[in-house]
Amino acid sequence: MEPQEILYDPSEYIETASGNKVSRNCLLCGSQHIVLSGKSIIQPKSILRGDLAQIHIGRNCIISTGVVISPPFRKLSSGSAFFPVQIGDNIFVGENTVICAASIGSYIYIGKNCVLSQGCVLRDCCRIEDNAIVPPDTVVPPFSVFSGSPGKLTGDLPESMQDLMIEVTRSYYSHFRSKNT
């Protein structure tokens, strides 16, 4: 079954030389500290807080509507310190998810309405189910499924997860087309 076309109004997106498609209706705070590696999509009503610390997003990442990405912080005796967040390649982030993770590997599916709490780490090839809340400082191992509130290990993924996520993100990108074409 062929995925459906996702049509967008080209006047509502900015397309960069490296193929990123960024909605004009998203909020990029401190855009000079936000790095998109290429062929990624940032959809409307998303908020990326590059004003707090650098955010690096890999290739072929889909950031759905209403996602908030905020760098993690630690309280220190002299105040708070924010740390850069690294997001790998071939990531799909569902609608209205909040990310405060320290690190997100590659080939990961994150469902809608999730919370990735302060300092959590997602290793490569994992899945976070819809509505899951991953507790602070949790490490999600490779090839695992986390779900629930609080999020817990609830299953395992096949070794083909990397190939599946490459196909999901590339297919989404190729079917995300301008209404004018």
Side-chain angles (χ1 to χ4, degrees), residues 15-32:
E15 187 164 355
T16 68
S18 57
N20 297 306
K21 297 176 183 179
V22 180
S23 171
R24 294 180 187 275
N25 295 321
C26 71
L27 182 58
L28 304 178
C29 303
S31 59
Q32 70 274 21

Side-chain angles (χ1 to χ4, degrees), residues 68-114:
V68 176
I69 301 175
S70 181
F73 69 91
R74 292 279 179 221
K75 292 188 182 200
L76 307 172
S77 58
S78 60
S80 295
F82 287 89
F83 297 95
V85 62
Q86 180 79 27
I87 298 174
D89 299 331
N90 301 98
I91 306 294
F92 183 91
V93 182
E95 295 176 358
N96 303 314
T97 288
V98 177
I99 298 174
C100 295
S103 174
I104 296 176
S106 295
Y107 318 110
I108 297 173
Y109 182 91
I110 301 168
K112 59 185 174 185
N113 303 314
C114 294

Side-chain angles (χ1 to χ4, degrees), residues 125-147:
C125 300
C126 64
R127 180 181 177 98
I128 308 299
E129 295 289 346
D130 292 351
N131 305 309
I133 298 176
V134 179
D137 303 316
T138 299
V139 176
V140 177
F143 301 101
S144 62
V145 178
F146 257 59
S147 59

